[in-house]
Amino acid sequence: METGIAVLSSRVSVGRVIYLDHAASTPVDARVLEAMMPFFAEHYGNPSGIHVQARASAQALEQSRREVAEILGCKPKEIVFTSCGTESDNLAIRGVAFAAAQAGKGRHIITSACEHHAVTHTIAQLCENFGFQQTVIPVDRWGMVDPADVKRAIRSDTVLISIIYANNEVGTIQPLAAIGEIAREHGIPLHTDAVQAGGYLDLNVDRLNVDLLSLSGHKFYAPKGVGVLFVRAGIALLPQQTGGGHEGGRRAGTENVPYIVGLAKALKLAQDMRPTENERLARLRDHLIQGIQVALPDAQLTGHPTQRLPHHASFVIPGVEANALLMHLDLAGICAASGSACNTGAAEPSDVLLAMGIPPQLALGALRLTLGRSTTAEDIETVLEVLPTVVRRLSTLQPR
Ligand code: PLP
């Protein structure tokens, strides 16, 4: 008898698929899966216990913590393992905000206009329900924050600055180190959502001048459902999940040992592969961008032309509605996205694109193509053949 999952996977099996949605999620690397396997049924002890099985889990957990800390250039005890990037963002923002408010330091948060919903919705809730105020720093037409604007926004009651490292929708990389310098001069903690940067950019927290940094495993070939929050020693953080004293008392709950082992392995692999893989991806990505610009001269690249993630190509295409475009690409065996995974399906223009000054109607025609380890030069050629045809067909069908 076929299981439900088998039926489902046979239905969605469409042969060779060109997967260009790595910013949404990545497949688990075989080496990562191999590292994880012993921690499901062989070494299954609770890492908090006092026996041989518990010790095996605890050792793997602490080894993973050391490996992640080494990549971030921090102390192992500054690493908190979480269930995902969203949780890391929530814990950073709410944890710092509540601790600061409790200490009477203030209730003002600075953020940018190009954050993920895991940040914007968390800060909005603090403002709507807990008496916080926010200043949202505008971005330029490339989605870039000006550090001088951050400096101007600082008030005596500012308790947190949260600025994304690299944007998920348009790939723009923010000048974090400069923003961090300003934050440090004023003694304000700087949090960064580095979820999209994890596999591709320098994560050294001292070079970046950050005090809190969020990562998510499934963006760099580890499984979905595991994340990291770096919390610099001395930063006051009120735990948001209470219970046992796990993760140095900052995040209660028995640690997901196999997934944490997988995350550490995947982060190490990604960072080791970074120099060569970034170059390969950027070459393919640039060819893709140039090809699209030649075939579809009306398509506008969104995000910064050079300060962008190496695997990230994003556009707005006039006269095309994103969901229709994605469906047609899907039928042609190409997996793409319009913006963040969370936005796909919504017929609303993205806040990030609007903040960059893109008109709402044009923002509805957003296309994001994010390359990955499996992407080949042939894949890019196929996309360059298929995409212009689909766009031309759709734009004659859709009213402008
Ligand atoms: N932050 C950014 C920039 C993201 O792109 C995502 C996911 O797409 C998240 C946070 C949320 O991460 P997770 O899916 O692990 O909750």
Side-chain angles (χ1 to χ4, degrees), residues 239-287:
Q240 297 305 298
Q241 191 161 299
T242 48
H246 310 90
E247 298 301 291
R250 290 160 300 187
R251 197 267 184 187
T254 302
E255 290 90 349
N256 188 347
V257 177
Y259 279 50
I260 290 169
V261 167
L263 181 144
K265 175 80 181 173
L267 190 62
K268 171 99 178 75
L269 285 170
Q271 289 287 324
D272 287 350
M273 292 169 76
R274 194 154 69 89
T276 46
E277 186 61 0
N278 277 8
E279 203 186 304
R280 189 187 76 88
L281 289 170
R283 216 175 322 114
L284 290 176
R285 189 265 327 258
D286 290 345
H287 182 60

Side-chain angles (χ1 to χ4, degrees), residues 82-378:
T82 67
S83 68
C84 60
T86 300
E87 188 196 331
S88 299
D89 286 343
N90 275 253
L91 175 57
I93 294 165
R94 229 177 265 135
V96 168
F98 284 146
Q102 199 179 31
K105 291 188 174 163
R107 287 174 184 263
H108 177 239
I109 299 172
I110 296 172
T111 187
S112 85
C114 63
E115 302 295 317
H116 189 270
H117 282 168
V119 168
T120 56
H121 289 183
T122 306
I123 297 175
Q125 192 199 53
L126 286 171
C127 295
E128 281 159 27
N129 300 304
F130 297 96
F132 283 81
Q133 293 179 336
Q134 64 171 325
T135 300
V136 180
I137 306 296
V139 290
D140 65 16
R141 66 192 171 107
W142 291 311
M144 191 75 96
V145 170
D146 182 348
D149 287 340
V150 177
K151 190 171 187 166
R152 272 192 290 276
I154 291 174
R155 309 190 326 203
S156 58
D157 61 344
T158 305
V159 293
L160 177 67
I161 301 172
S162 183
I163 306 282
I164 199 165
Y165 190 176
N167 181 266
N168 46 304
E169 292 181 53
V170 297
T172 300
I173 301 168
Q174 299 299 341
L176 261 194
I179 296 168
E181 225 166 88
I182 294 164
R184 193 149 298 166
E185 275 166 23
H186 291 79
I188 302 166
L190 172 62
H191 164 249
T192 191
D193 175 338
V195 166
Q196 289 293 337
Y200 306 97
L201 303 180
D202 179 21
L203 296 180
N204 184 288
V205 292
D206 288 338
R207 283 197 287 272
L208 292 174
N209 282 332
V210 297
D211 301 300
L212 301 110
L213 178 144
S214 305
L215 291 173
S216 172
H218 73 107
K219 307 296 184 176
F220 49 83
Y221 304 85
K224 294 160 192 66
V226 61
V228 166
L229 179 64
F230 155 73
V231 186
R232 193 177 287 283
I235 296 291
L237 187 90
L238 192 72
Q240 297 305 298
Q241 191 161 299
T242 48
H246 310 90
E247 298 301 291
R250 290 160 300 187
R251 197 267 184 187
T254 302
E255 290 90 349
N256 188 347
V257 177
Y259 279 50
I260 290 169
V261 167
L263 181 144
K265 175 80 181 173
L267 190 62
K268 171 99 178 75
L269 285 170
Q271 289 287 324
D272 287 350
M273 292 169 76
R274 194 154 69 89
T276 46
E277 186 61 0
N278 277 8
E279 203 186 304
R280 189 187 76 88
L281 289 170
R283 216 175 322 114
L284 290 176
R285 189 265 327 258
D286 290 345
H287 182 60
L288 177 65
I289 291 176
Q290 281 152 18
I292 290 176
Q293 286 174 329
V294 169
L296 298 167
D298 286 348
Q300 275 177 38
L301 182 73
T302 53
H304 200 280
T306 55
Q307 292 297 106
R308 66 184 300 135
L309 289 167
H311 68 309
H312 197 295
S314 54
F315 296 88
V316 282
I317 307 177
V320 166
E321 194 271 311
N323 283 339
L325 176 58
L326 297 184
M327 278 188 272
H328 279 77
L329 289 176
D330 186 35
L331 288 172
I334 298 169
C335 303
S338 59
S340 79
C342 318
N343 275 347
T344 304
E348 290 289 316
S350 131
D351 292 340
V352 169
L353 296 180
L354 296 182
M356 289 162 57
I358 294 171
Q361 191 59 34
L362 185 54
L364 287 173
L367 174 67
R368 179 183 78 180
L369 301 166
T370 46
L371 289 57
R373 288 183 196 158
S374 63
T375 311
T376 64
E378 293 79 63

